[in-house]
Amino acid sequence: MQSKIILLLAALLTPALTFAQGPEMADLMRSNGKIYVVVVVVCIVFAGITAYLIRLDKKISKFEKYQNTKDL
Amino acid sequence: MRNWWKVMAVILVFYTIIMGFLGEVPALFVLNETIRNLYFHVTMWFCMMALLSVSVYHSIAYLVKPLYEKDLKAASFAGTGLFFGMLGIATGSVWARFTWGAWWVNDPKLNGAAVSVLIYMAYLILRNSLDEEQKRARISAVYNIFAYVLMLVFLMVYPRLNQVDSLHPGNGGNPAFSSYDLDSQMRLVFYPAVAGWVLIGVWLTSLRIRLGILQYKKLSGELTNKKQGSYAK
């Protein structure tokens, strides 16, 4: 709780204060440094890969069905 | 719903990506924000372990009862496992460059990982070099068991020995995995991440297996066609 208040104060007052916090972290970046853009980009990439996987899965299913009817 | 676990896999990985970037992590020197790599790099290794374990299970099952499908499953799981291992090495190399200072450091865990990957590459090469189906299945099943044990020794036992120095947490006298770089906040992302990627790995493998079965049926179908002049299963 206390550390959160300190972080908030640091974020509000001056960037110099955040350096005094210890290791440099992207706390400010995440609030207004467009890190969300990166998250959305990575999500789109993964969504694309997922869509590709689903299509491939469906195609193989179709072949399996075809193969099974041929077996009968 | 038959494919619920695929939906689960995708949801878990999305959760990992979002929470992995935006969740709270401990602020540590040297690591800084790269501590988030735990969700992506370490996960690859956990995923590889899981897939290779399934692979060796099928190899043992093949030796108990030689069925074509068991050999196919063992090979497919080993293939995807190796793929995740290579991703683990590539991601680890980048992480090492920016925290330890070099693309490759002489760390027992790194060298052990490299050797393990080579052992599994040899497994796939061995398979492809044998033409006769049953011989291939039997020899590669036996090799797979050796490969798995060696992989465990190189990744789990050797780096943990006191005599060797390792930069990896929990190895060579370094503090263990759980004590500093995996706090309770991170666990909430890390474990779902492992589950999600393992499921993705199983999905990828299942596609390979299904393709393999189709290919096998087609080949055996063509053979019987030639022999008997008509299609028979």
Side-chain angles (χ1 to χ4, degrees):
Chain A
M1 188 61 204
Q2 206 178 356
S3 65
K4 272 186 187 158
I5 293 170
I6 294 170
L7 272 176
L8 188 72
L9 280 176
L12 285 174
L13 292 171
T14 155
L17 253 176
T18 38
F19 290 114
Q21 285 298 311
E24 194 183 337
M25 301 299 276
D27 299 314
L28 279 173
M29 288 290 276
R30 270 195 305 290
S31 57
N32 53 13
K34 296 171 186 161
I35 185 71
Y36 296 103
V37 182
V38 183
V39 176
V40 172
V41 166
V42 178
C43 281
I44 291 171
V45 170
F46 185 66
I49 292 172
T50 307
Y52 183 87
L53 266 178
I54 291 170
R55 266 179 51 133
L56 196 61
D57 201 317
K58 281 197 175 138
K59 255 182 203 165
I60 295 175
S61 298
K62 220 168 78 182
F63 267 108
E64 280 169 343
K65 266 185 205 133
Y66 172 73
Q67 184 76 34
N68 287 340
T69 49
K70 227 169 75 171
D71 284 349
L72 293 172
Chain B
M1 185 158 153
R2 203 163 49 90
N3 288 329
W4 64 272
W5 58 276
K6 293 173 188 169
V7 178
M8 213 47 220
V10 173
I11 291 171
L12 283 171
V13 173
F14 270 120
Y15 168 80
T16 310
I17 293 170
I18 294 165
M19 286 310 287
F21 277 108
L22 302 177
E24 238 180 88
V25 291
L28 298 169
F29 286 109
V30 182
L31 278 176
N32 304 86
E33 293 283 357
T34 69
I35 195 169
R36 294 175 195 280
N37 274 348
L38 179 89
Y39 304 140
F40 303 102
H41 161 72
V42 184
T43 322
M44 294 297 113
W45 293 110
F46 274 60
C47 186
M48 182 199 77
M49 285 283 193
L51 295 175
L52 293 183
S53 303
V54 180
S55 170
V56 79
Y57 165 79
H58 284 297
S59 278
I60 294 168
Y62 179 86
L63 292 175
V64 174
K65 196 168 184 234
L67 288 173
Y68 163 76
E69 278 188 24
K70 286 175 183 167
D71 176 53
L72 175 67
K73 281 178 184 169
S76 304
F77 273 104
T80 349
L82 177 67
F83 173 66
F84 278 97
M86 286 169 158
L87 287 180
I89 285 206
T91 54
S93 186
V94 175
W95 198 2
R97 172 64 187 80
F98 296 101
T99 47
W100 298 337
W103 295 105
W104 194 268
V105 293
N106 197 15
D107 183 277
K109 199 119 181 169
L110 264 73
N111 293 332
V115 172
S116 306
V117 164
L118 287 174
I119 288 170
Y120 273 95
M121 282 166 99
Y123 167 78
L124 293 180
I125 292 166
L126 174 75
R127 278 188 69 81
N128 291 337
S129 63
L130 294 167
D131 283 333
E132 199 194 317
E133 202 176 278
Q134 286 178 355
K135 196 191 223 172
R136 176 175 64 205
R138 200 157 16 88
I139 290 175
S140 53
V142 173
Y143 181 91
N144 195 17
I145 295 167
F146 279 101
Y148 185 71
V149 173
L150 279 174
M151 186 270 293
L152 286 184
V153 169
F154 276 116
L155 285 183
M156 310 299 282
V157 182
Y158 168 61
R160 282 187 168 77
L161 297 177
N162 278 332
Q163 287 86 347
V164 296
D165 274 332
S166 177
L167 290 162
H168 276 87
N171 294 290
N174 273 347
F177 203 35
S178 53
S179 68
Y180 82 90
D181 70 347
L182 205 61
D183 68 356
S184 52
Q185 280 269 322
M186 292 190 85
R187 272 172 217 275
L188 287 178
V189 184
F190 180 68
Y191 292 132
V194 171
W197 283 106
V198 168
L199 287 176
I200 293 278
V202 173
W203 188 2
L204 286 172
T205 316
S206 77
L207 293 180
R208 281 177 81 139
I209 294 169
R210 285 161 66 190
L211 264 183
I213 290 174
L214 282 173
Q215 210 172 11
Y216 180 76
K217 276 187 180 167
K218 188 163 188 298
L219 277 177
S220 55
E222 277 166 6
L223 284 178
T224 43
N225 266 340
K226 262 182 207 158
K227 270 183 201 158
Q228 302 169 349
S230 68
Y231 186 84
K233 202 189 172 185

